Amino acid sequence: MEEVNQIILSKAGSNVELIPEIAKHLISSGGKRLRPMLTLACAEMFGYQGTGHVVLAASVEFMHTATLLHDDVVDESDMRRGKLAARKLWGNQASVLVGDYLLGQAFKMMVDVGSLEALRILSEASAIIAEGEVLQLGAAKNILTSEEDYLRVIDAKTAALFASAAEVGPVIADQGAEVKAAARAYGRELGLAFQLVDDALDYGGSSADLGKQIGDDFREGKITLPIVLAVARGSDADRVFWKRCLEEGAIEDGDLDAAIERLRKVDAIADTVQRARDYGANALKALEKLPSGPHNDALAEAVAFCISRVS
Amino acid sequence: MEEVNQIILSKAGSNVELIPEIAKHLISSGGKRLRPMLTLACAEMFGYQGTGHVVLAASVEFMHTATLLHDDVVDESDMRRGKLAARKLWGNQASVLVGDYLLGQAFKMMVDVGSLEALRILSEASAIIAEGEVLQLGAAKNILTSEEDYLRVIDAKTAALFASAAEVGPVIADQGAEVKAAARAYGRELGLAFQLVDDALDYGGSSADLGKQIGDDFREGKITLPIVLAVARGSDADRVFWKRCLEEGAIEDGDLDAAIERLRKVDAIADTVQRARDYGANALKALEKLPSGPHNDALAEAVAFCISRVS
């Protein structure tokens, strides 16, 4: 992982000062590096000895960082990982362009590795992620988004990169179709679990207070699974409330507390967490098809870590 | 070229409605398709018989289209190719994300072609273009930008894609280093000429009126070569004027006419056009190292077409 960080920092460099400045702001602000870890573990578990997996892992993290930069612009977010979002510090313009730069660097790094199959998987993910974000844009401000539509969104915007990050491990280690599919399934299910946990955390999770800033999704009018469930299960009065807050953005003092109360009343947060657990269990099931040993254990721990954030 | 258009339209498709809607708005709004033409001609001039060059050409156009979508957001432009910019019709958010999608599709298409060398060249271009845009962001609102700095900007943001579009032609046709370098040089010089002509046209070019909307760069506070030359050659009063209009954005009625007058007084437009001609001549020189015949003639015509827009 240290090598991944080294590559990330060196490849975020540029003669154009602003680029490393913004990239480092994000990269060193304590992301969990979950995605590159998947690539490393899924290659090393097959005894892969080269350095290609480290470069692929770094390019996965660059793709993710580019997405964060663009997301913050799209969502008009003020904060990211407890710091001011890059767009608040350097502006939307620089965030869009530095995101583009990191994406270009990510592809250059993948090309350096030279695996056309890994390139196919990750470039496919890149298009799918953007597609998921556009889909979410359409779903935003629509409280009648169905659970199925919401799952399509997170499958694309979050799970696709987790799935691809895991799959390129056995790809670069020259493994067969079955383990590649198992690694991909593991990554996908973990990604879905991860996103649902995030959704639940934004309303405080299942415990009282995690010291995490909550209510970002609410203030941005994002329709996430807790909302989808609450709208489906709630009364007409509930729907009037959700419509005013999320579609019309007319949020008043105390509305976040009222929202959490309405979510809890219909078990929307607890059930979101339960679905995350289910996806986590699916991820563990996929792991059974991959070689046992310390890397498999680490991947199982990643699932436990994900879920533990919320319970 | 018809095949390129077919691929462009089919690959701009997506289940997510908004994506083809925006992509087609831009793609069918009468771009010149200059860049993909370079790829086609530079492959076919070597007798290339496959279909890879058509796919590469389409991916080059996608890279370009993605750049336009992001540029309009960054520049806060209202118009593009005589139509309302996508960001005015669908918002900044969709423009950022659909740009990302097209970039992802572009890489997928390149991967389909399977040439790692072409992938290296085009992914490198992708990072360089973004770097050039960030550089321009730094130069924006600074009337003391030097000619050298400005050339660095356009070399990256415009010429790199022209150069790469041309270079991948001989790459996919399996040619040697010398002709690849010649194709690249041709594309780069043409790209520089193209950008300078664009810069001159924004102030009406050398002729009186081309029926083209002028003054966009001026209103956006863009520092282009005509401005760089005018600031260097002008009086203190001129610099006060440029500072007010371009750095402070305090543009009043009649300022665009006054700007054009000040540019003409010091031959800033004519000299910008002259430099474009010089780069055009360099492009023709590079063509001498490439096989003669109808494709070479078409590439020479592209240079003439570029310059003719302004004179």
Side-chain angles (χ1 to χ4, degrees), chain A residues 66-67 69-70 93-107, chain B residues 66-67 69-71 74 96 99-100 103 107 123 126-131 133-134:
Chain A
T67 309
L69 281 166
H70 287 185
Q93 305 171 316
S95 294
V96 170
L97 297 175
V98 173
D100 289 350
Y101 177 76
L102 291 178
L103 208 55
Q105 285 291 83
F107 280 104
Chain B
T67 309
L69 280 166
H70 287 184
D71 270 7
V74 167
V96 169
D100 288 351
L103 208 54
F107 280 104
S123 59
S126 169
I128 290 177
I129 292 167
E131 215 165 19
E133 306 269 1
V134 177

Short mmCIF file of all heavy atoms in Angstrom, two decimals, chain A residues 66-67 69-70 93-107, chain B residues 66-67 69-71 74 96 99-100 103 107 123 126-131 133-134:
data_model
loop_
_atom_site.label_atom_id
_atom_site.label_comp_id
_atom_site.label_asym_id
_atom_site.label_seq_id
_atom_site.Cartn_x
_atom_site.Cartn_y
_atom_site.Cartn_z
N ALA A 66 -10.93 11.55 -9.21
CA ALA A 66 -11.51 12.38 -10.27
C ALA A 66 -13.03 12.45 -10.10
O ALA A 66 -13.63 13.53 -10.25
CB ALA A 66 -11.15 11.80 -11.65
N THR A 67 -13.61 11.32 -9.78
CA THR A 67 -15.07 11.28 -9.56
C THR A 67 -15.48 12.18 -8.40
O THR A 67 -16.48 12.90 -8.49
CB THR A 67 -15.50 9.83 -9.26
OG1 THR A 67 -14.97 8.98 -10.27
CG2 THR A 67 -16.99 9.70 -9.23
N LEU A 69 -13.96 14.84 -7.28
CA LEU A 69 -13.84 16.25 -7.68
C LEU A 69 -15.06 16.68 -8.50
O LEU A 69 -15.62 17.75 -8.28
CB LEU A 69 -12.56 16.47 -8.49
CG LEU A 69 -11.27 16.58 -7.67
CD1 LEU A 69 -10.05 16.45 -8.57
CD2 LEU A 69 -11.22 17.93 -6.94
N HIS A 70 -15.44 15.84 -9.46
CA HIS A 70 -16.59 16.19 -10.30
C HIS A 70 -17.90 16.12 -9.52
O HIS A 70 -18.78 16.97 -9.70
CB HIS A 70 -16.62 15.30 -11.54
CG HIS A 70 -15.54 15.63 -12.53
ND1 HIS A 70 -15.43 15.04 -13.75
CD2 HIS A 70 -14.54 16.54 -12.46
CE1 HIS A 70 -14.40 15.57 -14.40
NE2 HIS A 70 -13.84 16.46 -13.64
N GLN A 93 -14.20 25.45 -11.56
CA GLN A 93 -13.46 25.30 -12.81
C GLN A 93 -12.27 24.39 -12.61
O GLN A 93 -12.05 23.43 -13.35
CB GLN A 93 -13.00 26.67 -13.29
CG GLN A 93 -14.16 27.65 -13.44
CD GLN A 93 -13.68 29.05 -13.70
OE1 GLN A 93 -12.74 29.52 -13.05
NE2 GLN A 93 -14.31 29.72 -14.64
N ALA A 94 -11.45 24.72 -11.58
CA ALA A 94 -10.25 23.93 -11.33
C ALA A 94 -10.62 22.50 -10.96
O ALA A 94 -9.93 21.55 -11.34
CB ALA A 94 -9.40 24.58 -10.24
N SER A 95 -11.72 22.32 -10.24
CA SER A 95 -12.12 20.97 -9.84
C SER A 95 -12.47 20.12 -11.06
O SER A 95 -12.11 18.95 -11.13
CB SER A 95 -13.32 21.03 -8.88
OG SER A 95 -12.93 21.63 -7.67
N VAL A 96 -13.19 20.71 -12.00
CA VAL A 96 -13.53 19.97 -13.22
C VAL A 96 -12.26 19.58 -13.96
O VAL A 96 -12.06 18.42 -14.34
CB VAL A 96 -14.44 20.81 -14.16
CG1 VAL A 96 -14.58 20.14 -15.52
CG2 VAL A 96 -15.81 21.02 -13.52
N LEU A 97 -11.37 20.54 -14.13
CA LEU A 97 -10.19 20.30 -14.96
C LEU A 97 -9.17 19.38 -14.30
O LEU A 97 -8.57 18.54 -14.96
CB LEU A 97 -9.53 21.64 -15.34
CG LEU A 97 -10.43 22.55 -16.18
CD1 LEU A 97 -9.76 23.89 -16.40
CD2 LEU A 97 -10.79 21.90 -17.51
N VAL A 98 -8.97 19.53 -13.00
CA VAL A 98 -8.02 18.65 -12.32
C VAL A 98 -8.59 17.22 -12.29
O VAL A 98 -7.85 16.25 -12.43
CB VAL A 98 -7.65 19.17 -10.92
CG1 VAL A 98 -6.80 18.17 -10.17
CG2 VAL A 98 -6.90 20.50 -11.05
N GLY A 99 -9.90 17.10 -12.17
CA GLY A 99 -10.53 15.78 -12.30
C GLY A 99 -10.21 15.18 -13.66
O GLY A 99 -9.83 14.00 -13.77
N ASP A 100 -10.36 15.96 -14.71
CA ASP A 100 -10.04 15.48 -16.06
C ASP A 100 -8.57 15.06 -16.16
O ASP A 100 -8.24 14.05 -16.78
CB ASP A 100 -10.29 16.59 -17.10
CG ASP A 100 -11.78 16.85 -17.30
OD1 ASP A 100 -12.60 16.06 -16.79
OD2 ASP A 100 -12.11 17.84 -17.97
N TYR A 101 -7.72 15.84 -15.56
CA TYR A 101 -6.28 15.52 -15.59
C TYR A 101 -6.01 14.18 -14.91
O TYR A 101 -5.29 13.32 -15.44
CB TYR A 101 -5.48 16.63 -14.90
CG TYR A 101 -4.00 16.33 -14.83
CD1 TYR A 101 -3.19 16.45 -15.95
CD2 TYR A 101 -3.42 15.92 -13.64
CE1 TYR A 101 -1.84 16.16 -15.90
CE2 TYR A 101 -2.06 15.63 -13.57
CZ TYR A 101 -1.28 15.75 -14.70
OH TYR A 101 0.05 15.46 -14.64
N LEU A 102 -6.60 13.99 -13.73
CA LEU A 102 -6.38 12.74 -13.00
C LEU A 102 -6.91 11.54 -13.78
O LEU A 102 -6.31 10.46 -13.77
CB LEU A 102 -7.02 12.80 -11.61
CG LEU A 102 -6.35 13.78 -10.64
CD1 LEU A 102 -7.10 13.81 -9.32
CD2 LEU A 102 -4.88 13.40 -10.40
N LEU A 103 -8.04 11.74 -14.47
CA LEU A 103 -8.58 10.66 -15.28
C LEU A 103 -7.62 10.33 -16.43
O LEU A 103 -7.37 9.16 -16.73
CB LEU A 103 -9.94 11.10 -15.84
CG LEU A 103 -10.95 10.01 -16.14
CD1 LEU A 103 -11.19 9.13 -14.92
CD2 LEU A 103 -12.28 10.64 -16.59
N GLY A 104 -7.08 11.36 -17.05
CA GLY A 104 -6.10 11.14 -18.12
C GLY A 104 -4.87 10.40 -17.59
O GLY A 104 -4.38 9.45 -18.21
N GLN A 105 -4.39 10.82 -16.43
CA GLN A 105 -3.23 10.15 -15.81
C GLN A 105 -3.57 8.69 -15.50
O GLN A 105 -2.74 7.80 -15.68
CB GLN A 105 -2.82 10.86 -14.52
CG GLN A 105 -2.09 12.16 -14.70
CD GLN A 105 -0.70 11.98 -15.29
OE1 GLN A 105 -0.54 11.86 -16.50
NE2 GLN A 105 0.29 11.94 -14.45
N ALA A 106 -4.78 8.46 -15.01
CA ALA A 106 -5.19 7.09 -14.67
C ALA A 106 -5.07 6.20 -15.91
O ALA A 106 -4.52 5.10 -15.85
CB ALA A 106 -6.62 7.08 -14.14
N PHE A 107 -5.57 6.70 -17.05
CA PHE A 107 -5.50 5.88 -18.27
C PHE A 107 -4.06 5.69 -18.73
O PHE A 107 -3.68 4.61 -19.17
CB PHE A 107 -6.38 6.49 -19.37
CG PHE A 107 -7.82 6.15 -19.18
CD1 PHE A 107 -8.72 7.07 -18.70
CD2 PHE A 107 -8.26 4.86 -19.43
CE1 PHE A 107 -10.05 6.74 -18.48
CE2 PHE A 107 -9.59 4.51 -19.22
CZ PHE A 107 -10.49 5.46 -18.75
N ALA B 66 -16.04 15.89 -25.34
CA ALA B 66 -15.99 15.93 -23.87
C ALA B 66 -15.32 17.22 -23.40
O ALA B 66 -15.78 17.89 -22.46
CB ALA B 66 -15.24 14.72 -23.33
N THR B 67 -14.24 17.58 -24.10
CA THR B 67 -13.53 18.82 -23.76
C THR B 67 -14.43 20.03 -23.93
O THR B 67 -14.44 20.94 -23.10
CB THR B 67 -12.29 18.96 -24.66
OG1 THR B 67 -11.56 17.74 -24.61
CG2 THR B 67 -11.41 20.09 -24.22
N LEU B 69 -17.69 20.18 -23.74
CA LEU B 69 -18.69 20.22 -22.68
C LEU B 69 -18.10 20.79 -21.39
O LEU B 69 -18.70 21.63 -20.73
CB LEU B 69 -19.25 18.81 -22.42
CG LEU B 69 -20.30 18.32 -23.41
CD1 LEU B 69 -20.52 16.82 -23.26
CD2 LEU B 69 -21.63 19.05 -23.18
N HIS B 70 -16.90 20.32 -21.05
CA HIS B 70 -16.27 20.81 -19.82
C HIS B 70 -15.80 22.26 -19.97
O HIS B 70 -15.91 23.04 -19.02
CB HIS B 70 -15.12 19.88 -19.42
CG HIS B 70 -15.60 18.56 -18.88
ND1 HIS B 70 -14.76 17.60 -18.38
CD2 HIS B 70 -16.85 18.05 -18.76
CE1 HIS B 70 -15.47 16.55 -17.97
NE2 HIS B 70 -16.74 16.80 -18.21
N ASP B 71 -15.30 22.59 -21.13
CA ASP B 71 -14.86 23.97 -21.37
C ASP B 71 -15.99 24.97 -21.17
O ASP B 71 -15.78 26.05 -20.61
CB ASP B 71 -14.41 24.13 -22.83
CG ASP B 71 -12.95 23.83 -22.98
OD1 ASP B 71 -12.34 23.38 -21.99
OD2 ASP B 71 -12.42 24.05 -24.08
N VAL B 74 -16.46 25.51 -17.61
CA VAL B 74 -15.35 26.25 -17.02
C VAL B 74 -15.38 27.72 -17.45
O VAL B 74 -15.16 28.62 -16.64
CB VAL B 74 -14.01 25.58 -17.42
CG1 VAL B 74 -12.83 26.47 -17.09
CG2 VAL B 74 -13.88 24.23 -16.70
N VAL B 96 -20.93 18.34 -17.15
CA VAL B 96 -19.74 17.71 -16.57
C VAL B 96 -19.84 16.19 -16.72
O VAL B 96 -18.91 15.52 -17.19
CB VAL B 96 -19.58 18.07 -15.07
CG1 VAL B 96 -18.51 17.22 -14.42
CG2 VAL B 96 -19.24 19.55 -14.92
N GLY B 99 -19.79 14.78 -20.30
CA GLY B 99 -18.40 14.86 -20.75
C GLY B 99 -17.61 13.67 -20.23
O GLY B 99 -16.86 13.01 -20.96
N ASP B 100 -17.78 13.36 -18.96
CA ASP B 100 -17.08 12.21 -18.36
C ASP B 100 -17.48 10.91 -19.07
O ASP B 100 -16.65 10.05 -19.33
CB ASP B 100 -17.43 12.07 -16.87
CG ASP B 100 -16.77 13.17 -16.03
OD1 ASP B 100 -15.93 13.91 -16.59
OD2 ASP B 100 -17.11 13.28 -14.85
N LEU B 103 -15.81 10.63 -22.42
CA LEU B 103 -14.39 10.31 -22.26
C LEU B 103 -14.22 8.82 -21.96
O LEU B 103 -13.34 8.16 -22.52
CB LEU B 103 -13.82 11.16 -21.12
CG LEU B 103 -12.35 11.49 -21.17
CD1 LEU B 103 -11.96 12.15 -22.48
CD2 LEU B 103 -11.98 12.43 -20.01
N PHE B 107 -12.28 5.95 -24.36
CA PHE B 107 -11.25 4.99 -23.97
C PHE B 107 -11.68 3.57 -24.25
O PHE B 107 -10.87 2.75 -24.70
CB PHE B 107 -10.86 5.19 -22.50
CG PHE B 107 -9.92 6.32 -22.32
CD1 PHE B 107 -10.33 7.53 -21.80
CD2 PHE B 107 -8.60 6.20 -22.73
CE1 PHE B 107 -9.46 8.60 -21.67
CE2 PHE B 107 -7.71 7.26 -22.61
CZ PHE B 107 -8.15 8.47 -22.08
N SER B 123 -4.13 8.71 -24.43
CA SER B 123 -4.33 8.95 -23.00
C SER B 123 -3.38 10.06 -22.53
O SER B 123 -3.74 10.90 -21.70
CB SER B 123 -4.14 7.68 -22.17
OG SER B 123 -2.86 7.13 -22.34
N SER B 126 -4.97 13.22 -23.43
CA SER B 126 -6.07 13.54 -22.53
C SER B 126 -5.56 14.26 -21.27
O SER B 126 -6.14 15.26 -20.84
CB SER B 126 -6.77 12.22 -22.18
OG SER B 126 -7.66 12.38 -21.15
N ALA B 127 -4.46 13.77 -20.71
CA ALA B 127 -3.88 14.43 -19.53
C ALA B 127 -3.32 15.81 -19.90
O ALA B 127 -3.50 16.79 -19.16
CB ALA B 127 -2.80 13.56 -18.91
N ILE B 128 -2.66 15.89 -21.06
CA ILE B 128 -2.05 17.16 -21.47
C ILE B 128 -3.10 18.23 -21.73
O ILE B 128 -2.93 19.41 -21.39
CB ILE B 128 -1.16 16.95 -22.72
CG1 ILE B 128 0.09 16.14 -22.33
CG2 ILE B 128 -0.76 18.28 -23.34
CD1 ILE B 128 1.00 15.82 -23.48
N ILE B 129 -4.21 17.84 -22.37
CA ILE B 129 -5.28 18.81 -22.65
C ILE B 129 -5.77 19.42 -21.33
O ILE B 129 -5.89 20.64 -21.20
CB ILE B 129 -6.47 18.14 -23.38
CG1 ILE B 129 -6.05 17.72 -24.78
CG2 ILE B 129 -7.67 19.07 -23.43
CD1 ILE B 129 -7.04 16.77 -25.46
N ALA B 130 -6.02 18.56 -20.35
CA ALA B 130 -6.52 19.05 -19.06
C ALA B 130 -5.48 19.96 -18.41
O ALA B 130 -5.81 21.00 -17.84
CB ALA B 130 -6.86 17.88 -18.15
N GLU B 131 -4.21 19.57 -18.53
CA GLU B 131 -3.12 20.38 -17.98
C GLU B 131 -3.12 21.76 -18.64
O GLU B 131 -2.95 22.79 -17.97
CB GLU B 131 -1.80 19.66 -18.25
CG GLU B 131 -0.75 19.81 -17.20
CD GLU B 131 0.37 18.77 -17.39
OE1 GLU B 131 0.53 18.22 -18.50
OE2 GLU B 131 1.09 18.52 -16.44
N GLU B 133 -5.65 23.30 -19.95
CA GLU B 133 -6.81 24.07 -19.51
C GLU B 133 -6.57 24.66 -18.12
O GLU B 133 -6.98 25.78 -17.83
CB GLU B 133 -8.06 23.17 -19.47
CG GLU B 133 -8.37 22.44 -20.75
CD GLU B 133 -9.29 23.22 -21.67
OE1 GLU B 133 -9.67 24.35 -21.31
OE2 GLU B 133 -9.61 22.70 -22.75
N VAL B 134 -5.91 23.86 -17.26
CA VAL B 134 -5.61 24.38 -15.92
C VAL B 134 -4.63 25.55 -16.03
O VAL B 134 -4.77 26.58 -15.36
CB VAL B 134 -5.03 23.28 -15.00
CG1 VAL B 134 -4.65 23.87 -13.64
CG2 VAL B 134 -6.03 22.15 -14.81
#
